[in-house]
Amino acid sequence: MKIRIKEDDWNTIRNILDRSFNLPKSRLEWGVIGSIKKIGSSVYLITDVIKPENKNDLTQTKGGLCFASHYIRRAQLLSRKNHGCGLIFFHTHPFSINKTDFSCYDN
């Protein structure tokens, strides 16, 4: 499977996720949701980036992140409205030094 993204959307995601690394004292985990659309037999395009709108959209700690149900629902409704086929979740691992790996929560 290939996932493609427009440069502007990628920059939006990076700006949100960079908060984990640009605010060294807090080191909170950050996340954002995207909507995907199938554009080929095994090719998907991220069509919308649904930013967290307020502090209640994410429950953040130094060791974890929880996307609020109302935030996920907002992303689902936008994806459905724009004929998306699913959601993609991005999040950081702010205390990783050299590499990150999938946790049981990521899978």
Side-chain angles (χ1 to χ4, degrees):
M1 170 181 15
K2 295 179 184 177
I3 299 175
R4 305 205 185 279
I5 188 169
K6 296 176 192 165
E7 185 175 4
D8 287 346
D9 289 334
W10 178 245
N11 289 333
T12 298
I13 292 169
R14 285 201 54 176
N15 286 336
I16 292 168
L17 299 183
D18 278 349
R19 296 172 190 172
S20 282
F21 309 103
N22 292 336
L23 304 172
K25 290 183 181 176
S26 68
R27 288 294 217 202
L28 294 176
E29 191 166 344
W30 278 87
V32 64
I33 303 173
S35 173
I36 58 175
K37 185 182 283 187
K38 193 169 187 175
I39 59 170
S41 62
S42 62
V43 181
Y44 296 84
L45 176 67
I46 297 172
T47 56
D48 295 291
V49 177
I50 304 95
K51 301 182 218 175
E53 292 179 347
N54 60 61
K55 65 180 182 177
N56 296 325
D57 286 347
L58 302 172
T59 301
Q60 301 164 280
T61 66
K62 292 182 179 182
L65 176 75
C66 183
F67 292 89
S69 59
H70 64 267
Y71 178 31
I72 296 170
R73 182 67 175 152
R74 187 170 73 240
Q76 288 173 322
L77 292 174
L78 180 64
S79 182
R80 182 187 305 168
K81 176 183 172 186
N82 293 336
H83 307 289
C85 65
L87 300 177
I88 186 167
F89 294 78
F90 298 90
H91 72 99
T92 59
H93 290 243
F95 286 99
S96 297
I97 307 254
N98 294 322
K99 75 172 207 165
T100 60
D101 216 341
F102 282 98
S103 69
C104 61
Y105 301 106
D106 294 333
N107 287 333

